[in-house]
Amino acid sequence: MSIKRIPSGGAFEAQVGYCRAVVAGGWVHVSGTVGEGETVTEQCASALAIIEAALEKAGCRFVDVVRVTYMLPRAADFEACWPLLRAAFGAHPPAATMIECNLIDPKFRIEIEVTALLPE
């Protein structure tokens, strides 16, 4: 089985020692991803764009995502993101979990991690 690593060049990748996504055994594992912006919705949209780019480099799309985890410092902020998430996943929603927790930097308001299955 081959492993393909997909870096994005993000600031934390080199500091922490990880890459944006790893393709292995027909699966695409996208690391927890934060985005730019002041509001939770701006950060959510940015994180989704970064994830979408990683999925495309791996050979799949949002429709191939089977699992997503949302991490937010304030659970109350999550509802504002729902329209963006519905738009991203459309008629093919993945299994999902939302966790309220601290993130690596207090400026971040949402972090998103996905797992996708490569299309056959």
Side-chain angles (χ1 to χ4, degrees), residues 11 33 49 72 83 85 91 93 112:
T33 304
L72 295 92
L85 304 174
I112 304 169

Side-chain angles (χ1 to χ4, degrees), residues 34-47 106-110:
V34 295
E36 297 295 322
E38 296 298 318
T39 68
V40 69
T41 54
E42 289 172 341
Q43 290 185 18
C44 182
S46 176
K107 72 180 178 182
F108 295 123
R109 307 214 20 217
I110 187 167

